[in-house]
Amino acid sequence: MALVDRRGIVAGWSRAAEGLLERPADEVLGRSVLRLLAEERHVRLPEDGEVVLRHGDFGTVAVRYWAQELQGSGFTLVLAVGSGRAAGAEQAEAVFRALLAQDRLGFILRDADLAVLRTNVLPGEFGGPPQVVGSVLSEVMDGADAARTEETLREVLETGRPLAAQEQHVRSFRPPHHEWSLSYSAVRTEDHEGHPTGVAVFLTDATEHWRAAQRAELRHRASAGVGNSLDIERTAQEIADTLVPRFADLAWVDLADAVLAGEEPPKNTAGGDLLLRRVAVRSADGPWPDQLLPVGATVPPFPDRPMVREVQEGRTIRIDRRAVEELLGDPAHVRLAAPEGGHSLIIAPLFARALLLGAVGVWRAERPDPFEEDDAELLTEIAAQAALSVDNARRYTREHRAVDSLQRRLLPQASTTTRVMETTGSYVPAEAGAEIGGDWFDAIALPSLRTGLVVGDVFGSGLHATATMGRLRTAVQTLADLELAPDEVLTQLDTLVARLAAEAEAEPGHRDTVGATCLVALHDPVTRCCVMASAGHPPPILALPDGPAHAVDLQPGPPLGVGGLPFETATVDMPPGSVLALYTDGLLRRYAPDLDAATRHLADRLSRLQRSEERLPSLSRGLMAGGDGTPFLDDAALLLARPSALAPGDVASWEFPAEPDAVGAARNAANEKLTEWGLEGNAFVTELIVSELVTNAVRHAGGPIGLRLIRGELLYCEVTDPSNTQPRLRRARTTDEGGRGLFLVAQLSRRWGSRYGQNGKTIWAEQELVEDFPE
């Protein structure tokens, strides 16, 4: 910088000028400025331009200069700079102008305090908040966003390491509230001595890309997270969990009561009451607000408005809080529907197969930006996909309940009590999402106070397994009436299952596996023994009155339908007060994955519960609720049986030779015992029955002949002979001299029948007790 008078004489010389030309002031002051030129000129220089000046004693330097006359002083101020530096300044200025003129690339030059020096980020540009000259980050964006961004920029300023393609979510704290996603890069600026002077920031608006990525991620989450269960309420909760907090601050799912029951909702398009119930909720802040409609509550009726009809017709609505207040009218209804601070709402119908199953609602309260049309379209898409999952769960629930109802109707009554046996059965279906199986139990009262105990498990699941279970249970009851031994019952069942399997294979389009496991036990209160046989079924557990519980040592045969191998029997003593537990493997799997370990755990729990619990129903509930809490992934059946004591005086037995005198002796013995029991009212009929049965044994079977009377709820009369000939009931003609014996027995008794043992057969007859002798 130099000061020149009107004559061209240098009157002032700066230190920077000394450094530029390496000429001290005493060599320049008072002399013509033209003498500084490398080539002397005798003409006046223009006001600005480029010249070559002398540098030191022998060198030269090209400079760019500007001359400006100082008004009223008679002097001219000359500014000069090296040509190279001047060119750089011009280029820098050109770059600045180019950056500031960009409409797609944001540019912010910040000083060492990160205040804005130059910027093209103005209101309405780049989607983000405007950057005013002199402003700092905390003045234009949310505090958390500003602190995070300032931390990264100061790191650039201090270290000099540039930052490239950093993603930053930005929320404005001034209305209108918006949220953006910006991609920015930053480099440190320095002076000519290398000292940091600030940060240059380059940014682009990535909001649309970010929102598109968010929508795609939310679609993926909805696709992967909704519909994983066939439980309606769990599916509804999956919808709410998907939407909060990524999409909304609060979400709720309302479903029609009919949908929860598995039925189709009513097709009502008249507006007003949508017949909905709140099923699932989710809040980003934790618990669901107390003032809002809770889970399980019925949704109040809406006014009959066009907006409500739009939802009923399957269209999504997007409204603000004011519109909600106008729609509902009643302040109490508004408090149930609108959260505190909620400002934007979308309601999307769950519409599938032309049925309005329910609705999904989302609120924004803490998040300042309102829902936009793109958000409504996204929720519509998610709701449409979720509606199919809800409808699938609804249809499954309907079928599940139908099969479960059929299953339970096919089972016997839960508890039975006779004079000598108390039983309690329990059935638990598989948890929601699993198919109903074919587990069953049965307690069958047999003649002579005997009781048949049955538990079984049909292969497969669903309606097919339930139907097969019903057929097998009917067959078991029929075979039990034939008074077959447990192993013989299983042999007959095995043949039946093989026939059912052949029928299934012959049916086109069906390849269902037909098979089952089964355990049959027969308890005799007179001998206090229980004979049992197993077809591939877990062994029962016997808990003695004052002893431990243990699994019965029973060799199981093959499952029903396999065939080819015999079934073995086992006999155990069952004293009065003991408990026999028959169960299916669905109960075992609740106790442990390993069936042997599970059997031990079940036996230990039965032993502990029996010492503290006397009632069989409570004991059954305790066993069903035991284990490690594993859900019932398979249905489970449990049958508990507890025998009672039969007094020795309630049984009387005799043995007679096969002689004619045996008939009178047997009749007299029976008459004396009935008199002793106070059952004189049964004497006449009993004498006739004994006479006929013993007479037939003497004539056709031979001896020895056994007679046994048993007093229970009924009076049982049994005659045993060594013959295996099947007794037949027939109607004798008028001219026949015999053949009326069994006909008389059938007419006089409540019912009669026969069963076979290892040596011969037993014919029995039942009578009602007549304790008062008729006059």
Side-chain angles (χ1 to χ4, degrees):
M1 183 169 55
L3 196 64
V4 182
D5 63 14
R6 293 175 180 175
R7 297 174 298 164
I9 302 301
V10 178
W13 191 248
S14 68
R15 291 191 179 185
E18 290 182 355
L20 179 62
L21 300 183
E22 290 189 3
R23 287 182 177 275
D26 56 3
E27 291 184 5
V28 179
L29 293 175
R31 299 183 181 184
S32 173
V33 71
L34 298 178
R35 296 185 63 180
L36 297 176
L37 301 175
E39 297 180 358
E40 293 188 7
R41 297 184 183 181
H42 301 286
V43 296
R44 184 180 179 87
L45 292 174
E47 292 182 356
D48 60 81
E50 290 189 13
V51 294
V52 179
L53 302 180
R54 294 177 180 177
H55 183 270
D57 294 333
F58 306 104
T60 61
V61 59
V63 299
R64 176 75 183 270
Y65 74 92
W66 297 266
Q68 182 68 40
E69 182 180 354
L70 301 178
Q71 297 292 334
S73 65
F75 291 96
T76 298
L77 179 64
V78 180
L79 302 175
V81 67
S83 296
R85 188 174 176 186
E90 290 181 352
Q91 292 174 358
E93 184 65 24
V95 171
F96 268 119
R97 287 195 301 269
L99 290 175
L100 295 175
Q102 290 293 314
D103 58 358
R104 292 191 177 183
L105 177 65
F107 173 70
I108 306 173
L109 180 63
R110 297 183 179 273
D111 61 16
D113 295 326
L114 300 182
V116 177
L117 295 176
R118 305 278 295 273
T119 181
N120 66 342
V121 182
L122 302 175
E125 300 287 341
F126 306 104
Q131 305 285 328
V132 182
V133 174
S135 64
V136 294
L137 292 168
S138 60
E139 296 176 355
V140 296
M141 65 177 69
D142 182 75
D145 298 331
R148 191 162 47 248
T149 306
E150 183 174 346
E151 181 181 355
T152 58
L153 293 182
R154 288 203 176 278
E155 184 177 354
V156 174
L157 185 64
E158 293 171 0
T159 64
R161 291 193 297 268
L163 188 68
Q166 179 74 22
E167 185 176 359
Q168 176 69 55
H169 296 162
V170 179
R171 290 167 293 181
S172 63
F173 61 88
R174 296 174 181 170
H177 299 288
H178 289 289
E179 186 174 3
W180 303 271
S181 179
L182 303 176
S183 176
Y184 70 94
S185 301
V187 295
R188 185 172 73 179
T189 59
E190 302 173 348
D191 59 17
H192 65 282
E193 295 181 357
H195 299 145
T197 60
V199 179
V201 181
F202 307 89
L203 58 87
T204 56
D205 183 13
T207 303
E208 288 302 319
H209 176 75
W210 169 63
R211 289 179 177 172
Q214 277 193 319
R215 289 192 289 267
E217 181 185 2
L218 194 61
R219 289 190 189 95
H220 174 72
R221 285 171 55 86
S223 177
V226 178
N228 294 321
S229 168
L230 289 174
D231 180 83
I232 296 178
E233 295 183 5
R234 190 177 304 174
T235 301
Q237 189 61 52
E238 290 170 351
I239 298 172
D241 293 342
T242 298
L243 297 173
V244 176
R246 293 180 179 269
F247 184 71
D249 296 318
L250 298 101
W252 45 259
V253 179
D254 298 337
L255 295 177
D257 286 328
V259 172
L260 296 174
E263 303 299 329
E264 290 189 357
K267 296 181 179 180
N268 181 20
T269 59
D273 193 352
L274 301 183
L275 304 175
L276 300 178
R277 185 175 301 277
R278 184 138 300 176
V279 178
V281 296
R282 178 69 185 271
S283 171
D285 292 336
W288 186 248
D290 294 335
Q291 74 275 11
L292 295 182
L293 192 71
V295 172
T298 300
V299 178
F302 292 92
D304 189 3
R305 301 286 179 82
M307 194 176 299
V308 178
R309 295 181 183 179
E310 288 183 15
V311 176
Q312 289 180 303
E313 293 169 359
R315 294 196 293 272
T316 300
I317 61 173
R318 177 174 62 95
I319 54 178
D320 57 16
R321 187 183 185 91
R322 179 177 299 178
V324 172
E325 294 173 349
E326 293 177 355
L327 170 66
L328 300 180
D330 183 6
H333 196 173
V334 173
R335 285 193 296 272
L336 288 175
E340 183 177 354
H343 57 83
S344 187
L345 168 69
I346 302 178
I347 299 178
L350 292 171
F351 208 74
R353 300 180 178 92
L355 297 174
L356 179 64
L357 307 178
V360 180
V362 290
W363 276 99
R364 281 186 178 173
E366 296 297 328
R367 190 177 306 189
D369 49 318
F371 287 117
E372 299 178 356
E373 191 59 34
D374 289 346
D375 298 321
E377 293 177 359
L378 176 60
L379 185 59
T380 301
E381 181 180 340
I382 293 175
Q385 176 183 338
L388 292 177
S389 298
V390 171
D391 193 54
N392 288 338
R394 176 192 67 82
R395 298 168 72 184
Y396 171 80
T397 299
R398 180 183 60 192
E399 296 180 5
H400 190 276
R401 290 189 177 186
V403 175
D404 183 40
S405 177
L406 175 61
Q407 172 90 335
R408 293 183 183 278
R409 288 179 179 274
L410 290 175
L411 292 175
Q413 60 181 349
S415 299
T416 61
T417 302
T418 66
R419 183 172 179 178
V420 293
M421 179 66 72
E422 177 189 3
T423 65
T424 292
S426 299
Y427 171 78
V428 176
E431 295 290 336
E435 296 264 353
I436 294 291
D439 292 15
W440 91 93
F441 62 86
D442 215 340
I444 306 171
L446 298 174
S448 304
L449 295 179
R450 299 182 307 155
T451 305
L453 305 172
V454 184
V455 66
D457 184 1
V458 175
F459 296 165
S461 57
L463 189 60
H464 168 78
T466 302
T468 301
M469 179 272 286
R471 300 173 74 174
L472 291 182
R473 179 170 179 255
T474 301
V476 169
Q477 291 180 326
T478 302
L479 294 172
D481 287 339
L482 295 177
E483 299 191 72
L484 300 179
D487 55 333
E488 295 177 1
V489 171
L490 293 180
T491 300
Q492 297 297 326
L493 285 179
D494 182 68
T495 303
L496 172 62
V497 171
R499 185 162 58 249
L500 294 177
E503 293 175 358
E505 291 180 0
E507 186 175 354
H510 291 273
R511 291 294 183 268
D512 294 320
T513 300
V514 179
T517 63
C518 186
L519 176 70
V520 178
L522 180 62
H523 175 260
D524 189 338
V526 178
T527 62
R528 297 183 177 182
C529 291
C530 187
V531 182
M532 58 191 68
S534 170
H537 204 82
I541 295 175
L542 177 62
L544 298 177
D546 299 320
H550 63 277
V552 176
D553 185 12
L554 174 64
Q555 182 65 36
L560 300 177
V562 175
L565 293 174
F567 298 100
E568 299 183 9
T569 61
T571 303
V572 295
D573 293 330
M574 283 188 63
S578 59
V579 175
L580 185 67
L582 292 78
Y583 50 88
T584 59
D585 60 356
L587 178 61
L588 286 183
R589 298 185 189 282
R590 184 175 174 87
Y591 280 80
D594 180 71
L595 296 185
D596 291 336
T599 304
R600 291 192 298 270
H601 294 332
L602 181 60
D604 293 341
R605 183 168 179 81
L606 174 59
S607 180
R608 292 195 304 271
L609 291 175
Q610 187 188 21
R611 290 193 292 268
S612 60
E613 184 58 58
E614 295 183 357
R615 299 180 64 253
L616 276 190
S618 299
L619 188 61
S620 178
R621 288 192 295 270
L623 292 177
M624 280 294 192
D628 57 3
T630 302
F632 282 102
L633 300 179
D634 188 10
D635 51 348
L638 172 66
L639 177 63
L640 299 180
R642 176 186 285 161
S644 302
L646 182 64
D650 288 340
V651 179
S653 58
W654 303 268
E655 188 173 286
F656 305 97
E659 299 176 355
D661 295 340
V663 177
R667 186 170 54 244
N668 292 334
N671 192 31
E672 292 177 1
K673 179 55 66 175
L674 292 179
T675 302
E676 179 184 337
W677 284 345
L679 298 176
E680 291 88 348
N682 294 98
F684 177 72
V685 173
T686 304
E687 288 181 6
L688 288 177
I689 293 174
V690 170
S691 296
E692 293 298 334
L693 295 181
V694 173
T695 299
N696 286 342
V698 171
R699 289 180 177 178
H700 306 292
I705 300 171
L707 171 64
R708 186 167 70 172
L709 297 179
I710 303 174
R711 180 177 61 177
E713 290 93 348
L714 302 171
L715 177 62
Y716 302 93
C717 178
E718 298 179 347
V719 174
T720 303
D721 62 57
S723 173
N724 289 324
T725 303
Q726 172 70 35
R728 290 187 304 147
L729 178 66
R730 65 185 181 90
R731 185 181 296 275
R733 294 189 296 268
T734 305
T735 57
D736 289 344
E737 295 181 359
R740 298 175 178 84
L742 285 181
F743 179 78
L744 288 176
V745 171
Q747 295 297 313
L748 295 174
S749 62
R750 183 173 179 267
R751 63 173 181 164
W752 74 281
S754 65
R755 63 176 178 269
Y756 293 90
Q758 293 182 350
N759 299 305
K761 67 178 181 295
T762 298
I763 302 177
W764 54 267
E766 295 177 356
Q767 301 176 57
E768 300 285 350
L769 296 180
V770 182
E771 296 183 354
D772 295 330
F773 186 76
E775 297 180 358

